[in-house]
Amino acid sequence: MIKRTSKVKMILVVLTSLLLISCKNDNDAHDHSNISTITITPKEVPTRGVSGYVLRPAQQLELIAVAENRDNTTQDITKHVTWHSTVPEVAKTNGSSVVGVDIGETDISARYNGIESSDSIHIKVAYGKIKNLRITPAITSISKMLPVQLNLTGIFRDHTTANISTRRWSSSNEDVASVSITGLVTPKKVGETTITARKGRKKATAKIIVTDAKLEKIAIFPINAFGVMNDRVMAPVGKKTHLMAIGTLSDHTTLKLNSSVTWKSEDEQIAIVSNQGEITPKKMGKINITATKDGISETLKFEVIHAKIAKIMIEPDNKIETPLGREIELTVSGILTDGRKVGNLATHIRLLPTNAATMRYEIGKPPVLVPVTPGEATVTATVDGHIATSSITITPEVLERIIITPEKPSVPLYGTIQLTAKGVFSNSNEPKDITNVAWDTTSRFGIVALDNKGKVTLLKDGDTNIIATKNSIQSTVTITSEDKLASISFPRKGYYIEKGKSGKPLEVIGTTQSGKQILLPNSSLKFHSNDSKVASVINGRITNPRQGSVTITAIYELWSDKGRKLLRAQMRFTCIEHVYSVTCRIPRPSR
């Protein structure tokens, strides 16, 4: 037990040292706020194919990311970029390494602070032409109680190697050991056998010696422990911990037992453990984790502590764009090891040197970024060793609001008014003159005439909205009639019309609510004849009159927020036909 404890402590010391070195490297990071472009290249060139770089399954390609700054200097940012594979099922990224997974093609790119690499690397995963095969391990001695996994390696003509798969495995002595189609050797009795793997016309062999060695003890080692205190491994809620089980046999050989032991958690409400020895903490508490095989057991003390911060981020986003005059309140949020999000973490947000912005700090309030001039800025925050960075782009001032004057315009019928539009921008509350304003109206009934300069003429009595638009910003005012029509009437008593011709235009007078009278244009009216055989009205004129009586109706459409209202005027004409003309008059009332 003393030796096992010493090993656990030694492993944790090494892991802690690596973590501290990693944190130090992050804290010593250079200022990356002036990056203009990012270029990625392979560290070493593998087999080059027609369409890019060729990898074998499980083969790795190390990449380098180089940033070019605005001052034409360059810097290595390999450790700071985020790598991306378009088809991770073909090749996945592991830090700055690309690992071949399966046959196919993919593209690898890098991103940092919202800047995408200027190009991508095309990766093709293929087997190539096999020169030879090799089984590992080539010679192995195993206990008849424990299976062993063999791996097949392809040696290609370009001198590269990769693990490859085959279903053609065989054993020369099935009584001693059998082999599955995946290369798993299952011992049966003491003896020797030869395992053969074939791929195409190539083959490789391995010698398996089965002994009667027995498992004597098991040791458990934490791979990524959060901490150890009093021989107890600790992990926060939600932070997975990987365990490794090492078995020692009677012949003093050791081997990894992770998948062949039975893992058990003393209390699965506190933490569960998978068949591979992966612990998932669920709630705070202390338990024992046990690994058992062939009657041999070993126990690890495990404690689940409260959730810790797993990562942090600067809100509102890791890439922010804001115009001059629009300040941004910045906060820091965190994701805990149990997946919960916490906000407004107490920390100092630092602005890296830049001329584009400044920071304003007030006690008890979140810090505020104040744009100064168009450009780029970067802010950083650190909480419990976790670092977050946010890139901010400051753009020129933008239009935020349009003010139309006059604000409540009213126009007499057939009157004209000039509207003007001024803009309020992000960096000032003082309205400024703006150009290229698009003017439009919501009227579908021709109530107003509107030109592209904002000049409005009221053609029909009613209300309508006028809209001014610029850069997707809109403002609306309502044009109202200054003195609405109350009624309409025919002022003339008769019409003289030459045969075969049209008479003079019919005259219709509109009387407003204040008593003012206006001669209405016929274009704003609709006319109706109750007997078109006697007379009809075309374009506001009596046409083709004949002997008889007819009623002419004038209709005016009046629009308001309550809808449409019709004003009507009627006149009964008696038309008398002469030799060369027709006279249409209002009949005298009978006495």
Side-chain angles (χ1 to χ4, degrees):
M1 179 62 71
I2 296 175
K3 291 182 178 179
R4 184 179 64 80
T5 304
S6 299
K7 288 182 179 179
V8 171
K9 290 183 177 179
M10 185 166 53
I11 291 173
L12 290 174
V13 168
V14 173
L15 292 172
T16 304
S17 300
L18 292 174
L19 181 61
L20 290 174
I21 291 171
S22 176
C23 292
K24 181 178 184 302
N25 289 340
D26 286 343
N27 290 333
D28 293 341
H30 297 291
D31 176 13
H32 299 149
S33 59
N34 293 317
I35 293 175
S36 60
T37 58
I38 298 174
T39 304
I40 56 175
T41 56
K43 189 174 183 180
E44 295 179 359
V45 179
T47 303
R48 183 183 292 274
V50 175
S51 60
Y53 298 98
V54 179
L55 295 180
R56 312 302 179 208
Q59 186 181 14
Q60 294 189 17
L61 173 63
E62 191 72 23
L63 301 178
I64 299 174
V66 176
E68 182 175 339
N69 300 322
R70 291 182 177 82
D71 58 1
N72 294 325
T73 60
T74 59
Q75 55 183 318
D76 188 336
I77 59 170
T78 304
K79 295 182 180 179
H80 303 282
V81 299
T82 300
W83 299 93
H84 175 69
S85 171
T86 56
V87 189
E89 295 81 7
V90 171
K92 63 182 180 180
T93 58
N94 182 15
S96 59
S97 296
V98 182
V99 183
V101 177
D102 201 356
I103 307 304
E105 299 184 25
T106 185
D107 290 302
I108 307 297
S109 59
R111 186 180 180 88
Y112 179 76
N113 273 3
I115 303 175
E116 194 84 22
S117 54
S118 57
D119 56 357
S120 60
I121 293 180
H122 188 76
I123 300 292
K124 182 178 181 181
V125 180
Y127 279 135
K129 294 183 179 181
I130 298 175
K131 182 179 181 181
N132 209 347
L133 297 176
R134 180 173 65 229
I135 296 177
T136 53
I139 302 176
T140 185
S141 177
I142 63 173
S143 167
K144 64 181 181 181
M145 304 177 67
L146 298 170
V148 65
Q149 178 65 53
L150 300 181
N151 296 311
L152 182 62
T153 301
I155 303 170
F156 302 96
R157 292 185 179 180
D158 60 2
H159 307 296
T160 60
T161 62
N163 290 338
I164 61 176
S165 62
T166 182
R167 298 173 63 89
R168 298 167 62 192
W169 292 89
S170 62
S171 171
S172 64
N173 191 339
E174 292 281 346
D175 293 334
V176 174
S178 62
V179 61
S180 73
I181 59 175
T182 61
L184 180 66
V185 177
T186 303
K188 296 179 179 179
K189 69 176 185 179
V190 176
E192 294 184 7
T193 186
T194 299
I195 303 298
T196 302
R198 289 178 170 83
K199 185 78 173 179
R201 296 182 179 181
K202 306 294 181 180
K203 72 175 183 177
T205 60
K207 185 177 181 180
I208 300 295
I209 304 171
V210 180
T211 71
D212 59 359
K214 296 181 180 180
L215 179 67
E216 290 192 339
K217 64 179 181 179
I218 299 173
I220 303 175
F221 298 94
I223 303 301
N224 60 333
F226 182 81
V228 175
M229 182 177 293
N230 299 328
D231 296 332
R232 187 180 297 276
V233 177
M234 297 183 299
V237 175
K239 175 66 175 179
K240 292 184 178 182
T241 301
H242 298 268
L243 302 180
M244 180 184 293
I246 302 295
T248 302
L249 305 182
S250 57
D251 60 0
H252 305 295
T253 59
T254 60
L255 69 163
K256 184 178 177 181
L257 301 175
N258 265 42
S259 59
S260 60
V261 300
T262 300
W263 295 95
K264 184 178 180 181
S265 168
E266 184 181 29
D267 188 344
E268 292 194 345
Q269 291 185 348
I270 294 176
I272 59 175
V273 59
S274 72
N275 294 334
Q276 298 296 325
E278 181 184 73
I279 302 175
T280 302
K282 300 178 71 177
K283 72 175 186 177
M284 295 174 60
K286 298 179 181 180
I287 58 170
N288 291 326
I289 301 294
T290 303
T292 304
K293 183 174 178 59
D294 299 335
I296 307 297
S297 297
E298 181 64 1
T299 299
L300 177 80
K301 294 180 179 179
F302 193 81
E303 181 178 357
V304 181
I305 60 178
H306 61 82
K308 301 287 185 179
I309 293 176
K311 68 174 182 179
I312 63 171
M313 53 271 195
I314 298 175
E315 305 278 1
D317 199 355
N318 63 350
K319 184 183 180 183
I320 305 169
E321 185 174 291
T322 188
L324 284 176
R326 191 178 297 170
E327 299 180 350
I328 301 176
E329 189 175 85
L330 301 174
T331 59
V332 176
S333 299
I335 303 296
L336 301 182
T337 51
D338 61 1
R340 289 182 295 134
K341 182 177 180 179
V342 291
N344 297 319
L345 296 178
T347 185
H348 179 74
I349 298 179
R350 184 170 69 94
L351 176 67
L352 298 183
T354 179
N355 295 325
T358 61
M359 292 291 288
R360 185 174 71 245
Y361 300 96
E362 295 183 39
I363 297 175
K365 295 182 179 180
V368 176
L369 181 130
V370 182
V372 174
T373 186
E376 302 289 331
T378 302
V379 291
T380 63
T382 303
V383 179
D384 294 343
H386 298 280
I387 300 174
T389 302
S390 183
S391 175
I392 302 166
T393 300
I394 299 169
T395 62
E397 62 180 18
V398 296
L399 180 66
E400 292 191 330
R401 189 160 50 95
I402 295 175
I403 298 176
I404 301 176
T405 54
E407 295 183 5
K408 296 181 179 180
S410 60
V411 188
L413 187 59
Y414 310 120
T416 298
I417 188 171
Q418 178 65 54
L419 301 179
T420 60
K422 291 193 174 185
V424 177
F425 290 82
S426 57
N427 63 337
S428 174
N429 290 324
E430 188 69 26
K432 299 179 182 178
D433 292 333
I434 53 177
T435 57
N436 300 325
V437 177
W439 295 92
D440 199 2
T441 176
T442 60
S443 172
R444 295 173 295 169
F445 308 104
I447 295 176
V448 297
L450 174 68
D451 68 10
N452 59 3
K453 300 296 184 182
K455 184 178 179 180
V456 182
T457 301
L458 191 64
L459 301 180
K460 290 184 180 180
D461 207 345
D463 302 339
T464 189
N465 292 330
I466 303 297
I467 304 169
T469 304
K470 181 179 176 65
N471 299 341
S472 300
I473 305 296
Q474 289 187 339
S475 183
T476 303
V477 295
T478 301
I479 301 290
T480 60
S481 178
E482 197 171 84
D483 189 9
K484 293 185 182 295
L485 288 179
S487 63
I488 62 174
S489 60
F490 288 96
R492 293 180 61 179
K493 303 302 181 181
Y495 293 85
Y496 173 81
I497 307 166
E498 291 186 27
K499 280 189 176 182
K501 296 183 180 180
S502 298
K504 293 182 178 179
L506 295 175
E507 293 182 349
V508 178
I509 299 296
T511 303
T512 67
Q513 293 173 346
S514 65
K516 181 180 177 180
Q517 291 190 329
I518 303 170
L519 178 62
L520 301 177
N522 286 337
S523 59
S524 67
L525 297 162
K526 295 180 179 179
F527 293 94
H528 174 70
S529 169
N530 74 328
D531 190 348
S532 58
K533 292 182 179 180
V534 174
S536 58
V537 179
I538 299 177
N539 296 327
R541 299 170 184 263
I542 296 178
T543 305
N544 299 323
R546 295 182 182 181
Q547 187 84 21
S549 296
V550 66
T551 298
I552 303 297
T553 303
I555 302 173
Y556 184 89
E557 293 180 334
L558 182 66
W559 295 92
S560 69
D561 54 358
K562 295 180 180 180
R564 185 179 70 161
K565 179 181 178 182
L566 300 180
L567 300 180
R568 290 182 172 86
Q570 286 187 334
M571 183 175 291
R572 180 77 175 174
F573 290 99
T574 298
C575 296
I576 300 174
E577 188 172 348
H578 305 287
V579 178
Y580 299 106
S581 65
V582 176
T583 303
C584 295
R585 294 185 180 278
I586 299 176
R588 293 181 179 179
S590 59
R591 296 181 178 179

